[in-house]
Amino acid sequence: MDKKYILTCYLLLLTSLVFAQSYTNNSGFFKRVRYGGSLGLGFFNGGFNINVSPSAIYPLTNEFYAGASLNFNYAKFNDEKLLAYGGSILSLYNPIPDIQISAEFEQLRINRSLEAFPTRIEDNYWLPALFLGVGYSTYNVTFGLRYDLLYNDNKSIYGNALMPFVRVYF
């Protein structure tokens, strides 16, 4: 089995266990959790990509947050369509209130199909991504750019390694 897949499953399980332990030991845990997520939309020559990622973060300090996210992506490149779903773990750091620095490890299951007359070609695989980002925060909203350090031009569903985002938490 792929080591990246096993590591991702382990980290997601560990995160859920930490949340479960905190809930049973501290009834105020969920009062401090912030819910929200991000939206991504990309247009490029011959296609587009849309991303919806609901997430929950927990403040570890006044400046540092950690959490988890579910991810849904849809992309279309000419005759090729992609559906991707999965999860991610993320960390957010605000060195000053208006600036947010982020790191996110994402693991997606890709279902890819290509209309190649007379047959249809299908490909299914796991794809990791490691995003580093920076954004401008105002109230509950952050606008920014993130860059995928593991970007693979042949397998990625994103048009390129650099992607804008909008992140909102309540």
Side-chain angles (χ1 to χ4, degrees), residues 75-91:
K76 184 171 184 338
F77 306 92
N78 299 321
D79 293 331
E80 186 175 4
K81 293 180 185 175
L82 300 105
L83 176 64
Y85 51 90
S88 65
I89 54 174
L90 67 141
S91 60

Side-chain angles (χ1 to χ4, degrees), residues 12 53 153:
L12 289 174
S53 301
D153 194 37

Side-chain angles (χ1 to χ4, degrees), residues 1-15 87-89 105-107 128 130 150:
M1 216 181 250
D2 188 34
K3 290 180 184 178
K4 292 178 187 176
Y5 175 70
I6 293 170
L7 177 63
T8 301
C9 290
Y10 174 75
L11 290 174
L12 289 174
L13 178 63
L14 182 63
T15 302
S88 65
I89 54 174
F105 179 74
E106 175 181 81
Q107 185 73 39
L130 179 60
L150 303 177

